[in-house]
Amino acid sequence: MVSDASPAPAKTPVTLREVAALAGVSVATASKALNGQGRMTAETRERIRETAQRLGFRPNSLAQSLLRRRSFTVGLLTNDTYGRFSLPVMSGISDALVDNGVSVFLCNVEDDQRLGQLHVDAMLDKRVDGIIATGKRIDRHLPVDLSNLGVPVIYAFTQPDPGAIAFVSDDAGGARLAVEHFCRLGRRRIAHVTGPASFAVVHARAQAYRDVLTEKGLPVMEPLLGSWSEAWGHQAVKQLFDGKLSKSGGEKPDAVFCGNDQIARGVIDALRERGLDVPDDVGVIGFDNWQIVAEATRPPLTSVDMNLAALGREAGLTLLSLVGGEPAEPGIRKLPCRLVVRQSCGRPPDG
Amino acid sequence: MVSDASPAPAKTPVTLREVAALAGVSVATASKALNGQGRMTAETRERIRETAQRLGFRPNSLAQSLLRRRSFTVGLLTNDTYGRFSLPVMSGISDALVDNGVSVFLCNVEDDQRLGQLHVDAMLDKRVDGIIATGKRIDRHLPVDLSNLGVPVIYAFTQPDPGAIAFVSDDAGGARLAVEHFCRLGRRRIAHVTGPASFAVVHARAQAYRDVLTEKGLPVMEPLLGSWSEAWGHQAVKQLFDGKLSKSGGEKPDAVFCGNDQIARGVIDALRERGLDVPDDVGVIGFDNWQIVAEATRPPLTSVDMNLAALGREAGLTLLSLVGGEPAEPGIRKLPCRLVVRQSCGRPPDG
DNA sequence: CGCGATTGGGAAAAGGTTTTCTCAGAGGAG
DNA sequence: CTCCTCTGAGAAAACCTTTTCCCAATCGCG
């Protein structure tokens, strides 16, 4: 197909000087010809272009970067080895940047300060145009100091330094989406089973949960905090359906909004085990929309998606505009979640 | 703590020239002083070192790379967006390289040929010292041609070009580990439930399964091929325990070796649902040791771990030695798996 | 004291590209 | 025919560091 377009698979890359020599011009002229700069006869320009093509010339980025003080490279810091959250973010960032000809240095800093410094130094030495920090929690710092680095920094799905630019998911909004969906479906007694109190998102979502129920005049059951595990989902069902629900009468929940998909999985399994039908008896909504989990529950799980890839994209594009010298308001931007409806909530009463 | 070690957070990085000027020497001398080269009085060397330290001088990698023809950078190609397999591999690679001062370009090529070419070109332009290709299957090529690139290439957990150097997991060995473990525990009727026939590993593992059983004189049940899902695990249990097991008599299996952890999860759930105890009635072993799944099954799942991080490390180190000019035998290296014993198999009869 | 050897340090080239200046020649106008 | 203005293209500096070679000064020895 491209038989003539893949010429010398150069053992040693061909330089501009060689192109110039072969085309019978100076390197200066060759450079200008290939970059569409300067003035010369169309014929000269074309001859140089052709020669470059024939030789398979590709400019040495290192040399270009050195001169332009711009490397078309950014550093991506993460402490998320497991990758469930950072992977979509990274993927989004990468997409946004690659489309703009920018490469990404992947730097896994774990939670190790020494490693963090090592990576930041390496990035700076390699003259990255900017840095994006991402993590597995939006209420924890990466183990690195990114202030006063001399290059723009963007935080994506991790705790930012004050005065920095950050993108995070709108957890409260996501929770509203879920609870309001339950309300629309006519559920009246909506419980909330979520993760440990040490997570900021737990409180943000719980508060949104309370707010929606209060607005709608529905009973608020105190959120059940536990761990992010299936096991906790099981246990929570026991508490919800065995225990005497003290203040709010003896009625059992007809819906459970879960803090993540694993909890939801545990909840669904436990409900089935005690003979309750999902969604007919109890509706369940998860959080994270972790596809592999959400699609393996029976029935498949409706879940809140944080749009992490879009968040990454946004972060990448913003960094690029920063690198380009455009100004940007500091602050935290909360990006909306979306509800991915599967079959764990049932259909509207009228539908 | 490091109050004096973080001096001018340079808006514009300080160059060697400035260090030299301030220390009252030439750039040549300054360079030699900082690199431990050349000859000069200890006092001169120390003075230059001090000045550099004080100014926060860090050599410009771009300039160094240009000169040395070595960028201390490698490209990492992957097509695994989801990351379950490639993430540990990448993590291992990254660790191995970072410890050696080498940075990693992350390049997600999806299954898009155009994207692949884009990334490879960008990497080559940026003069990476080498390339590592990794993927989600060891029997599929990445959508890129990595032959005759002029830089060393290593394949890790993806299908290599002929004559290349590749690291993959020893799937047959891993399967042996599992089946032999069952044998040691006194299980006699061991079934194998695995993924689709289109995967090479399915056949490799199935053959090892057959081999071990034959060696031990145990009955071989034809492996059940399906999908990599929990649902298939459920269904397979139905086939195994309802159906008339044609040739091998009516006996039910007392052990199931599963092709991955999700299948195992489905198998365990299905067994429990039909009142069979794991591990007392039936032992189960999974594959992949996907922690989040293996620890969520009840009981926790014994599983074969492919040691992907170690595989990545190995690949990274090998690439480094290649870059360093050391020769290496082409061919495919199979790295051993290990069995992670949890509670889904029970204890030995004597223990 | 003279000569060779050693020592401390600098000048310059190299690496590949971009960009600014400069310049020779051609063309046109007067 | 002369002068001015373009036009096309090249020389050279710049980016920053490393390394090779070189030189001046000092030292030691006879």
Side-chain angles (χ1 to χ4, degrees):
Chain A
M1 274 207 168
V2 274
S3 53
D4 60 357
S6 57
K11 223 41 177 182
T12 188
V14 29
T15 71
L16 185 59
R17 189 205 308 271
E18 305 176 54
V19 175
L22 226 80
V25 295
S26 70
V27 287
T29 306
S31 172
K32 284 178 288 196
L34 298 175
N35 293 312
Q37 306 288 321
R39 288 173 317 194
M40 66 198 70
T41 51
E43 184 242 341
T44 304
R45 194 181 295 274
E46 191 46 42
R47 175 164 40 93
I48 296 173
R49 284 227 168 103
E50 225 161 59
T51 311
Q53 170 92 7
R54 185 156 50 83
L55 263 46
F57 169 75
R58 315 222 68 212
N60 185 329
S61 275
L62 260 28
Q64 291 182 320
S65 300
L66 189 57
L67 201 53
R68 292 185 176 152
R69 282 97 177 286
R70 172 97 202 264
S71 65
F72 287 89
T73 292
V74 313
L76 178 51
L77 290 167
T78 175
N79 67 345
D80 190 7
T81 318
Y82 183 54
R84 174 146 123 254
F85 297 123
S86 61
L87 216 80
V89 177
M90 284 162 49
S91 171
I93 291 171
S94 181
D95 286 355
L97 296 179
V98 167
D99 282 348
N100 288 275
V102 172
S103 302
V104 176
F105 277 127
L106 173 64
C107 303
N108 186 350
V109 300
E110 313 279 347
D111 287 307
D112 181 342
Q113 198 151 359
R114 175 199 132 264
L115 207 52
Q117 193 60 49
L118 197 69
H119 270 123
V120 170
D121 286 349
M123 282 163 37
L124 259 23
D125 289 351
K126 290 189 168 130
R127 295 304 189 266
V128 294
D129 297 331
I131 294 178
I132 301 185
T134 182
K136 49 192 169 193
R137 289 179 61 165
I138 62 180
D139 55 356
R140 285 287 182 278
H141 276 99
L142 253 41
V144 288
D145 177 16
L146 297 178
S147 53
N148 284 94
L149 249 36
V151 297
V153 175
I154 297 265
Y155 295 79
F157 204 77
T158 192
Q159 169 106 41
D161 283 343
I165 299 178
F167 292 85
V168 300
S169 51
D170 179 7
D171 284 276
R176 292 192 79 93
L177 244 38
V179 181
E180 284 170 353
H181 185 68
F182 275 142
C183 294
R184 260 197 311 280
L185 295 178
R187 309 279 172 172
R188 315 288 306 165
R189 301 195 41 81
I190 303 168
H192 183 30
V193 178
T194 184
S198 57
F199 279 70
V201 295
V202 163
H203 303 288
R205 297 175 193 170
Q207 191 52 50
Y209 157 81
R210 289 194 201 91
D211 290 349
V212 175
L213 293 183
T214 307
E215 288 165 18
K216 306 278 184 190
L218 293 175
V220 175
M221 306 163 74
E222 198 46 34
L224 263 36
L225 308 197
S227 70
W228 294 117
S229 66
E230 275 190 55
W232 162 235
H234 269 272
Q235 199 182 326
V237 167
K238 208 170 299 172
Q239 287 184 34
L240 283 173
F241 289 83
D242 281 349
K244 44 211 163 292
L245 273 20
S246 49
K247 57 186 76 171
S248 32
E251 269 187 276
K252 307 302 189 197
D254 60 5
V256 185
F257 167 43
C258 301
N260 77 355
D261 290 343
Q262 287 162 275
I263 294 176
R265 166 84 198 248
V267 165
I268 289 182
D269 284 353
L271 289 172
R272 190 178 44 250
E273 282 173 20
R274 57 174 60 218
L276 289 168
D277 187 89
V278 177
D280 287 351
D281 297 324
V282 183
V284 178
I285 296 184
F287 211 105
D288 294 350
N289 190 33
W290 191 13
Q291 193 168 340
I292 202 101
V293 175
E295 291 182 350
T297 63
R298 292 172 295 160
L301 180 69
T302 293
S303 185
V304 178
D305 190 305
M306 293 192 279
N307 285 327
L308 292 178
L311 191 154
R313 256 198 95 69
E314 207 61 35
L317 293 174
T318 306
L319 181 62
L320 247 31
S321 90
L322 241 44
V323 170
E326 288 160 47
E329 207 59 28
I332 298 182
R333 290 122 160 99
K334 295 194 178 180
L335 265 41
C337 301
R338 73 179 203 278
L339 189 70
V340 176
V341 177
R342 295 197 183 82
Q343 293 145 48
S344 62
C345 302
R347 313 199 124 270
D350 58 82
Chain B
M1 275 206 172
V2 275
S3 53
D4 60 357
S6 57
K11 224 42 178 181
T12 188
V14 27
T15 71
L16 186 59
R17 189 204 308 273
E18 305 176 55
V19 174
L22 226 80
V25 296
S26 71
V27 287
T29 306
S31 173
K32 283 179 287 195
L34 297 176
N35 292 313
Q37 305 289 321
R39 288 172 316 192
M40 67 199 68
T41 52
E43 185 240 344
T44 304
R45 194 180 293 271
E46 191 47 41
R47 174 163 42 92
I48 296 173
R49 284 224 169 105
E50 227 161 58
T51 310
Q53 170 92 7
R54 184 156 51 84
L55 262 47
F57 168 76
R58 315 221 68 212
N60 184 329
S61 276
L62 261 28
Q64 291 181 320
S65 301
L66 190 57
L67 200 53
R68 292 186 176 149
R69 281 99 180 289
R70 171 95 202 265
S71 65
F72 287 89
T73 292
V74 313
L76 179 52
L77 289 166
T78 174
N79 67 346
D80 190 8
T81 319
Y82 183 55
R84 175 147 122 254
F85 296 122
S86 63
L87 215 80
V89 177
M90 284 162 51
S91 171
I93 292 171
S94 180
D95 286 355
L97 295 179
V98 167
D99 282 347
N100 287 275
V102 173
S103 301
V104 176
F105 278 127
L106 174 64
C107 303
N108 186 350
V109 300
E110 313 280 347
D111 287 307
D112 181 342
Q113 197 150 0
R114 175 199 132 263
L115 206 52
Q117 194 59 47
L118 196 70
H119 270 123
V120 170
D121 286 348
M123 283 165 34
L124 259 22
D125 289 350
K126 290 190 169 129
R127 296 304 190 265
V128 294
D129 297 331
I131 294 178
I132 301 185
T134 182
K136 47 192 169 194
R137 290 180 60 166
I138 62 179
D139 55 357
R140 284 288 182 277
H141 276 98
L142 253 40
V144 288
D145 177 16
L146 298 179
S147 52
N148 284 93
L149 249 36
V151 296
V153 175
I154 297 265
Y155 295 80
F157 204 79
T158 191
Q159 170 104 39
D161 283 342
I165 300 178
F167 291 85
V168 300
S169 51
D170 179 7
D171 284 275
R176 292 193 80 92
L177 243 37
V179 182
E180 284 170 354
H181 185 67
F182 274 143
C183 294
R184 259 198 311 280
L185 295 177
R187 309 278 171 174
R188 315 288 306 166
R189 300 195 42 81
I190 304 167
H192 182 32
V193 177
T194 184
S198 57
F199 280 70
V201 294
V202 163
H203 303 289
R205 296 175 193 170
Q207 191 52 49
Y209 157 81
R210 288 194 202 92
D211 290 349
V212 174
L213 292 182
T214 307
E215 287 166 19
K216 306 278 184 187
L218 292 175
V220 175
M221 307 164 75
E222 198 45 32
L224 263 37
L225 309 198
S227 71
W228 294 116
S229 67
E230 274 191 56
W232 162 235
H234 269 272
Q235 200 182 322
V237 167
K238 207 169 298 171
Q239 287 184 34
L240 282 173
F241 288 84
D242 281 349
K244 43 209 164 294
L245 273 21
S246 47
K247 58 187 76 171
S248 31
E251 267 187 276
K252 307 301 187 198
D254 58 5
V256 184
F257 167 43
C258 301
N260 77 355
D261 290 343
Q262 287 161 276
I263 294 175
R265 167 84 198 246
V267 165
I268 288 182
D269 285 353
L271 289 172
R272 191 178 43 250
E273 282 173 21
R274 58 173 60 216
L276 289 168
D277 187 88
V278 176
D280 286 353
D281 297 324
V282 183
V284 178
I285 295 184
F287 211 105
D288 294 349
N289 189 33
W290 191 12
Q291 192 168 341
I292 203 100
V293 175
E295 291 182 351
T297 62
R298 291 172 297 161
L301 181 68
T302 293
S303 186
V304 178
D305 190 303
M306 293 191 279
N307 285 325
L308 292 178
L311 191 154
R313 258 198 94 69
E314 206 62 35
L317 293 175
T318 305
L319 181 62
L320 247 32
S321 91
L322 241 43
V323 170
E326 287 159 48
E329 208 57 29
I332 299 183
R333 288 120 161 101
K334 295 194 178 181
L335 264 41
C337 301
R338 73 178 202 277
L339 189 70
V340 176
V341 177
R342 295 197 183 82
Q343 292 145 48
S344 62
C345 299
R347 313 200 124 268
D350 56 81

